[in-house]
Amino acid sequence: DQQVKQNSPSLSVQEGRISILNCDYTNSMFDYFLWYKKYPAEGPTFLISISSIKDKNEDGRFTVFLNKSAKHLSLHIVPSQPGDSAVYFCAARDDYKLSFGAGTTVTVRA
Amino acid sequence: DGGITQSPKYLFRKEGQNVTLSCEQNLNHDAMYWYRQDPGQGLRLIYYSQIVNDFQKGDIAEGYSVSREKKESFPLTVTSAQKNPTAFYLCASTIGFRLMNTEAFFGQGTRLTVV
């Protein structure tokens, strides 16, 4: 049973615009949330994270929002750049284990 | 440079054979993990290890085995009992178990194909 869900398998956005990636989770024991970026045939690289005690964390062009009551997480990328084209995974931690969503493929159009 | 090294990058296996995927880290991390990625799916946890000489099954451990004899190394063996082994395998490590605000670092992955 998938505890972390990314319901949009793909997202296409114009360069310079905002990309919004969404993630829903079911396990209320998750205490830490992360976003990873992945290129084909490579390992994921860490982007940004947020603790369950916060509702927002910002790092440059990347902002993660957490709505605990809705069990919803989102990643905003502003402005989107061609190098942002990749697969983005949402992950959530429960004690020892990181659970991942299925990923959203982002394509940034020139 | 510190990091996680997985080898080989590509691996071909005949049906019925066991193969071992290597994972080495020089980050001095205590915890190590193996994930599997299939198309259209997220990363699924196979095994994890908190410390040397200890490891636990993840969500999809059947058909796999691991060892943790050294802190730096966490090899994964894909046995003939694994029914669908063709996938992309990722090794990861974290600085510690249950520590707050620490991300997992990943290797570059091994693409295993059964021929």
Side-chain angles (χ1 to χ4, degrees), chain A residues 39-104:
Chain A
Y39 295 114
E42 292 186 9
T45 54
F46 171 73
L47 264 182
I48 192 169
S49 62
I50 187 167
S51 165
S52 60
I53 62 173
K54 295 185 176 181
D55 55 18
K56 178 181 174 182
N57 187 28
E58 193 172 352
D59 184 3
R61 297 187 297 115
F62 302 93
T63 302
V64 56
F65 296 92
L66 176 62
N67 182 335
K68 283 188 68 177
S69 60
K71 293 191 175 67
H72 180 81
L73 191 68
S74 65
L75 174 68
H76 292 206
I77 307 174
V78 183
S80 299
Q81 298 175 353
D84 295 333
S85 296
V87 179
Y88 290 79
F89 288 99
C90 169
R93 187 185 70 187
D94 172 15
D95 193 18
Y96 57 83
K97 196 165 76 171
L98 271 182
S99 297
F100 286 82
T104 296

Side-chain angles (χ1 to χ4, degrees), chain A residues 19-43:
Chain A
S19 294
I20 299 177
L21 290 78
N22 294 304
C23 178
D24 297 295
Y25 62 93
T26 57
N27 185 350
S28 58
M29 299 302 293
F30 287 144
D31 64 353
Y32 189 55
F33 303 87
L34 309 94
W35 284 94
Y36 282 84
K37 178 180 179 180
K38 184 181 181 301
Y39 295 114
E42 292 186 9

Side-chain angles (χ1 to χ4, degrees), chain B residues 32-45:
Chain B
M32 297 185 74
Y33 308 80
W34 274 104
Y35 289 89
R36 166 182 172 145
Q37 185 191 12
D38 294 283
Q41 296 196 39
L43 282 64
R44 293 184 291 168
L45 183 64

